[in-house]
Amino acid sequence: MTQRDYRIRIIDPRLPSGQIAASDLAAIADGLQTIAHRLARHLAGASGRGRSPAIVERASQVMVVGLSSGSTFLECRLGDPETLDLPQFPDDVLGQQFEAIVAGIATNTPPTNTPPLVASAAQKLARQLRARFPDGSIEFTLPTSTVSTAVPDIDSSVWQMGKDMEPQHIAVSGVLNRID
């Protein structure tokens, strides 16, 4: 699998050069990881409950590989080079869709047909960014483009699921004989 590298630049007057609070870093990293994981599960046809196949876990792993100064720059990487591509789950599709979601957060334009669980994760990350950097701006450098925005302009409501997209809750009754 091919790795994809990303750079996130956070410009906030409250942040010392090249520094970020651990809680803010954790919120950003968790948001990106949740988006990648939910997207990978959707692409692999494993969106339901239960554990993800190990290959999906490795392919959707987001690693923070560096922090540099100037403004605060986070270097991130998506994927695992040791993971083989599956025919139904090519890595370029995961990377392209992940990048579309990240760009959609910055531009308030969710990609069409965004899965509901991915939209929910994107909405949560958008809210986290607004709460943690209310006076700042953010720039995502993707392999093919760079998108930037003032954080107060990020609108989490564009990721809200419509009534027809809400997940259905199903009750099942019976006897459980085995559990994995």
Side-chain angles (χ1 to χ4, degrees):
M1 173 177 179
T2 306
Q3 290 181 339
R4 290 179 176 261
D5 293 327
Y6 305 99
R7 178 178 253 196
I8 301 166
R9 180 180 181 201
I10 302 165
I11 305 164
D12 192 311
R14 300 174 303 138
L15 285 179
S17 176
Q19 298 179 31
I20 187 170
S23 60
D24 295 342
L25 175 61
I28 293 170
D30 180 59
L32 294 172
Q33 180 61 62
T34 301
I35 291 168
H37 186 251
R38 289 181 179 180
L39 189 55
R41 285 181 57 101
H42 173 75
L43 291 171
S47 294
R49 295 184 184 265
R51 288 186 178 168
S52 300
I55 196 164
V56 171
E57 293 289 334
R58 289 191 306 272
S60 66
Q61 185 65 46
V62 175
M63 301 290 289
V64 176
V65 296
L67 179 67
S68 39
S69 59
S71 300
T72 300
F73 288 97
L74 301 176
E75 305 286 339
C76 298
R77 178 169 293 144
L78 172 65
D80 177 4
E82 303 299 318
T83 303
L84 298 175
D85 294 340
L86 293 176
Q88 75 274 18
F89 181 47
D91 65 301
D92 59 332
V93 172
L94 173 62
Q96 291 167 1
Q97 290 191 13
F98 178 79
E99 292 159 18
I101 298 293
V102 171
I105 291 171
T107 60
N108 296 323
T109 54
T112 57
N113 301 322
T114 300
L117 291 175
V118 175
S120 174
Q123 183 179 44
K124 181 179 177 185
L125 178 57
R127 286 180 181 156
Q128 288 286 342
L129 291 171
R130 285 182 56 99
R132 293 173 184 277
F133 308 107
D135 301 322
S137 62
I138 193 159
E139 178 181 280
F140 295 104
T141 302
L142 310 170
T144 58
S145 65
T146 298
V147 291
S148 59
T149 188
V151 173
D153 293 340
I154 294 175
D155 182 7
S156 63
S157 68
V158 300
W159 297 93
Q160 186 68 37
M161 291 187 305
K163 293 287 184 193
D164 58 334
M165 295 176 61
E166 287 185 16
Q168 300 293 321
H169 296 281
I170 301 171
V172 179
S173 63
V175 176
L176 178 63
N177 293 322
R178 294 185 187 151
I179 190 164
D180 186 294

